[in-house]
Amino acid sequence: MSKGVDVNLENVWIRFGEFVAVREANVNIKGGEFFSFLGPSGCGKTTILRAVSGFLEPSDGTIKIGGKDMAGIGPNKRPTALIFQNLALFPLMKVWENITFSLEVQGVGKADRRKRADELLEMIALSDQGEKLPSELSGGQKQRVAIARALCAEPDVLLLDEPLSALDLKLRQHMRTELREIQQRVGITFIYITHDQGEALTMSDKVAVMRAGIIDQIADGKSVYDDPATPFVASFVGENNVFRGKVKSIDGDMALIDTNRSGTLLARMASAAKGTLKVGDNAMMFIRPEACKIATDTSPAHNRLTAKVKNEEFEGQIYNVFLEGSEGKEIKMSLVNIGQQRLSARGSDLTLEYAPEQAVALPAGDLASE
Amino acid sequence: MGGIFRDFFDRNGAGLGIFLLVVVGFWVVILIILPQLSMLDFSFRHHLPPPEMGGPKDTYTIEHYKYLVLGAPGADTSYNVVDLGVFGRTLIAALFVTILDLVLCYPLAYYLGQSKGGGFVRVLVLLLIIPYWINEILRAFAFRIIFGESGVINEVLLTMGLIGSPIDFIRANIALYAGLGYAYILLMIFPIYNVIESLDRNQIEAARDMGAPWWRIHWRIVIPYAKPGISSGCTMVFMLSAGALAAPQILGGPSSLWFTQIIYQWFNQGGNWPRGAAFAIVLLLTCIVIVLSMMRLFKVKIGDIGK
Ligand SMILES: Nc1ncnc2c1ncn2[C@@H]1O[C@H](COP(=O)(O)OP(=O)(O)OP(=O)(O)O)[C@@H](O)[C@H]1O
Ligand SMILES: [Mg+2]
């Protein structure tokens, strides 16, 4: 199969009348990469994908596929294949006809198409289902047929618009692994869209986090999680405890934040904050629930907080503990379930601590949902 | 059977259930079955003066059907060339009107069905409906005027210098085809529009994404999907064109009769109801056979049409 090619978005703007759906997107996707766009509903993910596949011309900027400017080239002439949010299988065609529709378009004879269909059906483990209609398949099977149909055209770039969103949790997790395997096998560029951060983090080489038409950060999953570029990314990807305040002092990579409600706390400056966050600036700092531990030493320190236990929630592998700090500040802490004894009773005081390198300081900004 | 009824009453309640049964029963028995049965009965009777009806001479016969095929006894041709010719021409012309309407309406219905509402679409639908406020006779005579020898169309063509002398649209039956086609446009558009509206746009885009040109998208995706709508549109237009009376009467050329006109003459001028009934029943049955075989040819199930 063909090797994947680069996809570049240079200064891409997409407007619908007055409304700006995508603002100055600059994205460089390397050939063979599994690249995800992650963002909340309505942030412009599908719009970007439609622009790459050619159903939409950007209002401004350039989209290049394999180094070639795609302006004016229609979707039927681009080396991309799109898997739609709702799959869009052809209901009146048999499964094998669905899969080989792109070959039918190219005028390939029926016998050859049938042969190719059988190969692809075998790849997606649906060998004997070729004669069925799509309506006779289960959700996960339809999913795989849509993937096979897209791969049949041997595209250089596969575009996937939340293809797993209709599936139940178990199947979704299974399909994640499967998709990743398929991608590694065929080696083409995958551009994947999702609002599910778990999906983006587990499958992707690179993730672009979007918010209302703006791309906040492009990085690998671990960096997005551990070193967010904006408060939006910090609060959208995974869970985070947010503390607002002002920068009191900066010492190398570490910043001391005078929080509004929880005293002075120490945090590592995120890469994006270095050089921009100054003493006296409004700042936000983020501590992940799983970065919190119960402190044995309860004397005051810049990485300790005292709070009241409000509630706890057992999730199996972790306990979530909800605490109330001073002035009603809510804090969530997640503890790995290693069979330790139950926590202190509701309403009792608890001191928690964190490793300052695991807390992140950023210039104040919008959060994912307030 | 009992289960179905119990279920029906459970779902609709006794009052509504009885009402529905009575209305449907009235519709089927009084309005569909009885009139056609009495016509069928008529068609097998002799044409007798009223005093002899019910008398000893009033027996069943197939003379009227024989007449349609063979003509009057002792005629100089062995077949009833005139009536059969008109019959055949009527069916072909109705088929032609149906195809004409389909060709005109499919693109329009596709456009209406796939564009997401919008002011222009609403205006278009209104423009399609307004002509139906005008009654049939008025419409037909208006067509006669504009298609007439000194009508607007000939005038325009003449002044533009496209033609040297006026075209006789009436004699060439162009006015008739236009009138019939126009009269049933809505019956073609709406069923097709209805199905196409429910077609997922993504399917069209998916096909386009896989490199399909527009004609293949229509051939493989849209038309198969719209088939139930297309066949109910075609059925209605064909049946109604073949059975039309006013339009052929007013717009038809002097030399070309419509089969319904012959039926009408037997009923009315001839006062020969049995013969009229026989002719009408032959027309009805032939139309049904044509429609059913077309549906068979294009693999449409009768159940699909109600969709
Ligand atoms: N054709 C259009 N005309 C006007 N506005 C549009 C059009 N298409 C999309 N939009 C707007 O652009 C924004 C982004 O839409 P888009 O479909 O890209 O969102 P999304 O990120 O894919 O969301 P979801 O996760 O819900 O699918 C939305 O606010 C939407 O209303
Ligand atoms: Mg979307």
Side-chain angles (χ1 to χ4, degrees):
Chain A
M1 276 204 183
S2 51
K3 266 274 166 268
V5 299
D6 290 8
V7 178
N8 306 91
L9 277 68
E10 294 166 7
N11 267 316
V12 170
W13 289 71
I14 299 170
R15 297 187 192 86
F16 296 112
E18 291 288 288
F19 179 77
V20 182
V22 176
R23 187 183 296 269
E24 212 190 343
N26 279 293
V27 186
N28 295 306
I29 302 167
K30 285 216 255 337
E33 210 164 50
F34 197 120
F35 190 99
S36 293
F37 283 93
L38 171 65
S41 182
C43 71
K45 305 180 298 287
T46 299
T47 306
I48 286 195
L49 214 62
R50 290 174 63 80
V52 174
S53 55
F55 288 109
L56 203 92
E57 283 289 328
S59 322
D60 250 314
T62 319
I63 294 175
K64 288 183 183 165
I65 298 177
K68 214 169 129 220
D69 188 349
M70 286 288 129
I73 299 179
N76 45 357
K77 300 274 185 312
R78 295 194 184 192
T80 56
L82 178 58
I83 297 182
F84 287 80
Q85 208 157 356
N86 66 352
L87 304 185
L89 295 178
F90 306 130
L92 302 175
M93 288 186 207
K94 288 177 182 159
V95 165
W96 78 268
E97 290 177 304
N98 258 286
I99 291 179
T100 52
F101 186 73
S102 56
L103 299 180
E104 183 186 325
V105 169
Q106 291 160 24
V108 176
K110 189 170 172 189
D112 291 338
R113 275 189 279 142
R114 188 68 233 221
K115 220 174 102 220
R116 182 83 181 104
D118 287 339
E119 285 166 27
L120 284 159
L121 281 166
E122 199 183 316
M123 183 189 90
I124 56 171
L126 288 178
S127 285
D128 46 358
Q129 318 269 345
E131 291 296 325
K132 285 189 176 172
L133 288 175
S135 56
E136 296 163 338
L137 298 180
S138 75
Q141 290 173 330
K142 282 187 200 147
Q143 196 70 57
R144 295 199 288 243
V145 171
I147 293 167
R149 184 176 74 171
L151 290 176
C152 181
E154 307 211 350
D156 296 326
V157 181
L158 190 65
L159 308 168
L160 305 98
D161 191 352
E162 308 204 30
L164 306 187
S165 55
L167 306 182
D168 61 59
L169 185 68
K170 268 267 150 51
L171 195 53
R172 207 154 63 215
Q173 282 169 344
H174 173 74
M175 289 304 298
R176 277 185 202 173
T177 333
E178 205 155 302
L179 265 181
R180 186 73 184 144
E181 271 173 26
I182 290 174
Q183 194 259 342
Q184 274 157 3
R185 188 143 22 110
V186 297
I188 61 174
T189 315
F190 271 44
I191 303 182
Y192 190 89
I193 280 193
T194 179
H195 61 249
D196 178 330
Q197 33 130 348
E199 241 168 70
L201 297 184
T202 45
M203 295 196 286
S204 327
D205 299 313
K206 279 264 176 65
V207 181
V209 186
M210 284 188 79
R211 142 175 78 123
I214 304 168
I215 297 175
D216 267 16
Q217 183 171 16
I218 302 177
D220 61 273
K222 188 161 166 53
S223 307
V224 166
Y225 195 81
D226 290 341
D227 190 18
T230 63
F232 173 81
V233 176
S235 53
F236 184 71
V237 181
E239 280 182 282
N240 245 325
N241 294 301
V242 190
F243 300 85
R244 294 155 196 276
K246 279 199 176 7
V247 182
K248 200 172 175 197
S249 66
I250 293 176
D251 176 16
D253 273 358
M254 306 306 284
L256 200 57
I257 314 276
D258 191 359
T259 67
N260 298 343
R261 296 193 278 186
S262 313
T264 2
L265 293 173
L266 201 56
R268 173 176 54 86
M269 305 255 281
S271 310
K274 284 177 195 158
T276 56
L277 192 60
K278 300 272 177 350
V279 174
D281 283 355
N282 284 323
M284 282 180 172
M285 63 168 282
F286 299 88
I287 307 176
R288 298 263 178 214
E290 69 272 17
C292 300
K293 299 193 291 279
I294 297 168
T296 38
D297 179 358
T298 56
S299 60
H302 290 319
N303 66 337
R304 285 196 196 122
L305 282 160
T306 307
K308 264 192 188 26
V309 178
K310 253 175 51 185
N311 208 351
E312 71 174 342
E313 197 180 80
F314 179 64
E315 244 184 56
Q317 61 195 122
I318 52 167
Y319 283 110
N320 290 316
V321 187
F322 298 91
L323 303 132
E324 188 175 315
S326 50
E327 296 176 48
K329 172 73 198 166
E330 278 183 36
I331 300 166
K332 181 178 177 184
M333 172 165 74
S334 300
L335 301 171
V336 179
N337 176 13
I338 46 170
Q340 74 248 69
Q341 77 280 23
R342 287 236 140 188
L343 279 156
S344 15
R346 244 174 237 192
S348 63
D349 275 337
L350 189 80
T351 302
L352 59 89
E353 67 179 5
Y354 62 92
E357 307 75 46
Q358 283 188 282
V360 178
L362 279 165
D366 295 335
L367 296 174
S369 52
E370 278 178 290
Chain B
M1 199 61 196
I4 295 176
F5 271 108
R6 201 166 323 115
D7 200 43
F8 177 77
F9 279 113
D10 280 350
R11 226 167 335 117
N12 298 303
L16 183 62
I18 289 172
F19 175 76
L20 285 175
L21 278 187
V22 168
V23 168
V24 171
F26 179 78
W27 174 264
V28 173
V29 178
I30 308 287
L31 298 180
I32 300 181
I33 298 180
L34 278 184
Q36 301 314 322
L37 275 183
S38 69
M39 274 294 145
L40 194 65
D41 180 63
F42 249 118
S43 74
F44 287 107
R45 289 186 183 276
H46 290 285
H47 177 44
L48 297 170
E52 291 185 30
M53 280 189 194
K57 280 193 181 167
D58 198 353
T59 52
Y60 283 111
T61 169
I62 55 162
E63 67 163 298
H64 307 296
Y65 292 92
K66 250 169 135 171
Y67 179 90
L68 175 58
V69 181
L70 303 173
D76 38 336
T77 44
S78 47
Y79 286 103
N80 186 351
V81 186
V82 178
D83 285 353
L84 286 178
V86 171
F87 182 64
R89 250 183 294 129
T90 300
L91 293 178
I92 289 170
L95 215 54
F96 175 74
V97 169
T98 308
I99 292 167
L100 180 78
D101 265 1
L102 179 60
V103 170
L104 286 175
C105 293
Y106 175 79
L108 204 57
Y110 176 75
Y111 173 78
L112 287 176
Q114 283 294 297
S115 58
K116 301 173 201 127
F120 180 66
V121 169
R122 248 171 287 138
V123 171
L124 206 60
V125 171
L126 200 64
L127 283 179
L128 285 170
I129 291 175
I130 286 178
Y132 291 84
W133 297 354
I134 301 158
N135 63 58
E136 197 185 355
I137 299 277
L138 192 61
R139 229 178 328 160
F141 277 108
F143 261 63
R144 204 181 160 94
I145 293 168
I146 61 163
F147 277 104
E149 213 137 322
S150 54
V152 187
I153 295 179
N154 269 320
E155 293 285 309
V156 170
L157 289 177
L158 279 171
T159 41
M160 280 168 63
L162 289 175
I163 49 171
S165 55
I167 300 173
D168 192 346
F169 290 115
I170 307 280
R171 185 174 296 275
N173 274 330
I174 291 176
L176 174 58
Y177 296 151
L180 283 174
Y182 167 80
Y184 303 126
I185 263 186
L186 219 51
L187 294 175
M188 186 64 94
I189 284 188
F190 274 130
I192 303 180
Y193 162 76
N194 241 333
V195 230
I196 289 188
E197 202 190 13
S198 68
L199 173 63
D200 175 15
R201 273 190 85 82
N202 284 350
Q203 279 180 32
I204 295 171
E205 295 201 335
R208 206 142 72 85
D209 190 50
M210 281 179 270
W214 65 270
W215 61 265
R216 193 187 288 274
I217 294 177
H218 282 277
W219 183 244
R220 289 289 276 148
I221 316 285
V222 187
I223 293 179
Y225 188 82
K227 225 155 64 175
I230 291 175
S231 46
S232 47
C234 287
T235 306
M236 283 194 277
V237 172
F238 177 73
M239 291 282 200
L240 288 171
S241 301
L245 182 61
Q249 199 96 295
I250 298 164
L251 292 170
S255 58
S256 63
L257 271 179
W258 210 251
F259 194 64
T260 47
Q261 286 171 283
I262 294 181
I263 298 173
Y264 184 71
Q265 279 169 8
W266 283 121
F267 272 114
N268 208 32
Q269 277 118 310
N272 190 343
W273 279 47
R275 186 154 296 168
F279 278 33
I281 279 175
V282 170
L283 179 64
L284 174 68
L285 292 180
T286 315
C287 284
I288 290 175
V289 167
I290 290 177
V291 165
L292 289 181
S293 42
M294 283 294 166
M295 281 170 52
R296 179 129 203 198
L297 188 66
F298 292 108
K299 301 203 181 78
V300 186
K301 290 190 210 70
I302 240 186
D304 290 342
I305 286 192
K307 277 186 192 162

